[in-house]
Amino acid sequence: MNRPVAEFVGGKPPKPLFPIWVSTHDTFMNMLKAKAEESDSSLREFIKKISLVVFDEVHHVTKKHPYRQIAE
């Protein structure tokens, strides 16, 4: 199965919105915050279009690190 994948490295999301994202936790959370600031519906629509997020830097997901909270 072929699916488009976007590597999100900051700034604005790629157009069109891809269902699979490769991103760091911080970058992805910043995108969610930006969408939430636009409107609740903007955030919901953004989340609905994403099938999978592959997080880079997962070696930080240990103990009580904030990345663990995001992953959970």
Side-chain angles (χ1 to χ4, degrees):
M1 163 183 358
N2 290 333
R3 297 217 177 211
V5 176
E7 179 182 18
F8 183 50
V9 293
K12 295 183 180 182
K15 302 286 183 190
L17 183 60
F18 291 87
I20 300 173
W21 286 60
V22 178
S23 175
T24 64
H25 296 84
D26 287 340
T27 301
F28 189 74
M29 290 304 293
N30 288 338
M31 175 52 61
L32 293 180
K33 287 176 188 174
K35 289 292 180 183
E37 288 173 1
E38 289 176 21
S39 69
D40 287 343
S41 62
S42 179
L43 176 61
R44 281 192 298 274
E45 288 302 312
F46 176 75
I47 291 171
K48 276 196 237 178
K49 294 177 183 176
I50 298 172
S51 302
L52 175 69
V53 178
V54 178
F55 287 116
D56 190 11
E57 304 291 333
V58 294
H59 59 276
H60 289 295
V61 183
T62 59
K63 299 182 184 174
K64 298 218 182 258
H65 194 283
Y67 283 176
R68 183 178 185 99
Q69 294 171 355
I70 295 167
E72 290 174 346

